[in-house]
């Protein structure tokens, strides 16, 4: 049964852009409804406050004697402790700051001393960087998928099992602790791509047995382009430095270089101080939230959205497994008779609603479920509300029942309103909207 529109679920936390007004193609404006948290989440208010406090003291870190440099250095190094606490890191696990999850995985790929076992449904970031992979085809259930992973791990030695914590396409969550036990029983370690899991679920590395974890600040309500790799020190200390340069060394001569241990070993060059501080502020804020209340907020909104989509004719919700019991706030669907890009362009142009369309950097996954042309993804976060969900469902019903009120054209793979009337966008000669 559809959740009644009278059910009022307020945002759980204040995020940037929550009251921004966006123009509509037919004229006028409305408050932006953000359903693209899975791509990049807006900054938490506490994060922007922290950056505002630090910005006047922004300076180079490490080896600087000036007060501003000391403040920036302290903030940078203290951020490791915040991240470590947030993910429940074990004593032998170090925090390395990177650019994003993809960067973290590429770093780890250079440290793995053997084969990597992966599923065929992974984000490209957890498929492409590994040097020697053995791909396991996911089954129609989580239980059989876990069994297939176990069979592959037992078949031949592997160094690492690399899995997503929560699918960036369907939001479905894998049993990480169970997979960690499987990997360890077969002499392998486990890496978890936590890009989608970390913003929605508490992760405890020591308790779950996870050896390596990566996530991105921009999905964790922290802007400025920083990421995290947390993992066991030995592989990271033995690996070649991810970047060769200043900060990654202990001593340099013309014929010899003594590299530092991790994390410095993999953090050459001037680091992203503000990005790291933003991640730490987000970790501290999320850790202070009532985890059960936040999960309940997400659960209610997901139920409202899924039940509402099931009541819209021609809408099909994508799922990978028939026994999945836990999903984060990601719902991907198709609308019969409309291309995914057309649906997304319509929602944005006529209703001020932001969703994601396409194949979500998971081409093999979309192909195996019969949607090689992509789908529409609506993702929720701490700033989402039931009013937002009502708007999305109403807009989709209007699309299915009455069609769009504007014309839309496709050019260079992108759908855009034609003509484009919104300020800040111009119409190119081939009919595609371009950002100015």
């Amino acid at each position: 049964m559809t959740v009644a529109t009278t059910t009022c679920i307020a945002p759980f936390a204040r995020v940037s852009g929550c009251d921004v007004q966006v123009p509509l193609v037919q004229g006028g404006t409305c408050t932006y409804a953000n359903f693209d948290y899975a791509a990049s989440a807006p900054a938490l208010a506490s994060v922007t406050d922290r950056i505002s406090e630090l910005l006047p003291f922004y300076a180079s870190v490490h080896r600087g004697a000036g007060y501003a440099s000391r403040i920036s250095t302290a903030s940078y190094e203290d951020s490791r402790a915040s991240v470590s606490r947030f993910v429940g890191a074990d004593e032998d696990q170090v925090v390395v700051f990177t650019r994003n999850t993809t960067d973290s995985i590429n770093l780890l790929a250079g440290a793995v001393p053997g084969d990597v076992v992966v599923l065929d449904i992974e984000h490209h970031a957890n498929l492409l960087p590994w040097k020697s992979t053995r791909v396991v085809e996911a089954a129609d259930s989580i239980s059989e998928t876990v069994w297939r992973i176990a069979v592959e791990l037992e078949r031949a030695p592997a160094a690492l099992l690399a899995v997503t914590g929560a699918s960036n396409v369907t939001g479905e969550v894998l049993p990480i602790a169970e997979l960690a036990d499987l990997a360890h029983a077969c002499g392998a370690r486990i890496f978890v791509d936590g890009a989608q899991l970390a913003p929605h679920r508490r992760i405890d590395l020591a308790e779950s047995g996870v050896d390596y974890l990566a996530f991105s600040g921009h999905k964790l309500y922290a802007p400025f382009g920083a990421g995290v790799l947390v993992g066991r020190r030995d592989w990271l200390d033995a690996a070649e430095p991810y970047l060769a340069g200043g900060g990654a060394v202990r001593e340099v001569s013309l014929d010899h270089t003594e590299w530092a241990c991790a994390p410095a070993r993999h953090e050459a060059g001037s680091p992203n101080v503000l990005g790291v501080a933003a991640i730490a502020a987000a970790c501290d804020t999320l850790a202070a939230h009532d985890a059960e209340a936040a999960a309940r907020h997400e659960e209610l909104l997901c139920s409202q959205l899924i039940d509402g989509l099931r009541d819209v004719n021609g809408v099909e919700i994508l799922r990978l497994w028939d026994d999945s019991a836990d999903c984060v706030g990601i719902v991907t669907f198709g609308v019969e008779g409309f291309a995914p890009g057309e649906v997304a362009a319509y929602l944005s142009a006529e209703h001020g609603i932001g969703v994601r369309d396409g194949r979500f950097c998971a081409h093999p996954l979309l192909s195996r479920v019969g949607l090689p042309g992509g789908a529409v993804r609506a993702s929720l976060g701490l700033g989402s509300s039931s009013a937002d969900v009502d708007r999305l469902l109403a807009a989709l019903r209007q699309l299915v029942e009455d069609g769009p009120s504007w014309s839309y054209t496709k050019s260079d793979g992108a759908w855009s309103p034609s003509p484009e009337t919104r300020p800040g966008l111009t119409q190119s000669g081939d009919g595609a909207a371009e950002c100015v």
Side-chain angles (χ1 to χ4, degrees), residues 31-205:
T31 303
Y32 182 59
N34 187 355
F35 284 92
D36 202 15
Y37 278 73
S40 284
L44 285 163
S46 58
V47 172
T48 58
D49 290 345
R50 173 60 181 141
I51 296 305
S52 295
E53 294 171 359
L54 182 61
L55 197 55
F57 300 98
Y58 169 71
S60 62
V61 302
H62 301 144
R63 298 172 299 282
Y67 183 76
S69 182
R70 294 291 178 91
I71 291 293
S72 291
T73 299
S75 174
Y76 187 78
E77 293 302 332
D78 287 347
S79 295
R80 295 192 204 277
S82 292
V83 172
S84 183
R85 287 193 301 271
F86 180 65
V87 300
D90 215 337
E91 290 184 358
D92 71 336
Q93 292 175 318
V94 295
V95 175
V96 181
F97 291 119
T98 64
R99 292 182 299 171
N100 45 49
T101 305
T102 301
D103 199 38
S104 296
I105 297 174
N106 276 269
L107 190 165
L108 181 60
V112 179
D115 289 354
V116 180
V117 173
V118 298
L119 289 169
D120 64 335
I121 56 171
E122 295 290 342
H123 187 284
H124 296 165
N126 200 25
L127 280 175
L128 303 180
W130 307 115
K131 296 177 181 178
S132 178
T133 56
R134 288 158 32 197
V135 180
V136 175
E137 182 179 344
D140 292 332
S141 67
I142 289 181
S143 58
E144 185 176 347
T145 298
V146 171
W147 178 81
R148 291 183 181 183
I149 291 173
V151 170
E152 180 58 33
L153 289 171
E154 293 168 355
R155 184 185 66 81
L160 187 70
L161 169 63
V163 296
T164 186
S167 170
N168 75 305
V169 178
T170 66
E172 291 164 293
V173 177
L174 281 168
I176 298 304
E178 181 181 355
L179 290 173
D181 288 342
L182 280 178
H184 295 158
C186 296
R189 298 182 182 184
I190 184 171
F191 161 77
V192 173
D193 174 352
Q196 301 298 340
L197 186 64
H200 299 274
R201 298 287 186 273
R202 297 290 170 83
I203 302 170
D204 191 313
L205 298 184

Side-chain angles (χ1 to χ4, degrees), residues 247-273:
V249 298
R250 285 201 180 107
E251 189 70 31
V252 176
S253 66
L254 294 181
D255 56 5
H256 175 72
T257 300
E258 182 183 353
W259 299 105
C261 295
R265 187 183 190 89
H266 302 290
E267 291 183 356
S270 297
N272 184 352
V273 180

Side-chain angles (χ1 to χ4, degrees), residues 2-12 33-35 297-305 353 380-394 397:
T2 302
V3 177
T5 55
T6 53
T7 301
C8 181
I9 304 168
F12 188 83
N34 187 355
F35 284 92
H297 170 263
E298 180 177 280
E299 179 185 358
L300 289 172
L301 291 178
C302 279
S303 295
Q304 180 188 357
L305 177 56
I353 297 171
L380 302 158
L382 297 177
S384 301
S385 69
S386 57
D388 293 336
V389 175
D390 283 339
R391 279 179 59 188
L392 175 58
L393 295 173
R397 283 193 294 268

Side-chain angles (χ1 to χ4, degrees), residues 322-397:
D322 54 24
D323 62 345
S324 56
D326 186 16
C327 292
V328 301
I330 297 173
V331 181
T332 298
F333 59 92
V335 183
E336 185 179 1
F338 296 94
E342 186 180 10
V343 175
Y346 155 82
L347 290 171
S348 174
E350 298 184 33
H351 297 276
I353 297 171
V355 296
R356 176 79 30 166
D357 71 276
R359 294 184 286 173
F360 318 114
C361 295
H363 297 181
L365 188 159
L366 270 295
S367 293
R368 71 166 288 171
V369 298
L371 294 172
V376 180
R377 183 180 72 187
S379 49
L380 302 158
L382 297 177
S384 301
S385 69
S386 57
D388 293 336
V389 175
D390 283 339
R391 279 179 59 188
L392 175 58
L393 295 173
L396 288 171
R397 283 193 294 268

Side-chain angles (χ1 to χ4, degrees), residues 278-292:
I279 287 181
C283 288
D284 290 342
T285 300
L286 294 176
H289 283 162
D290 183 327
E292 291 185 5

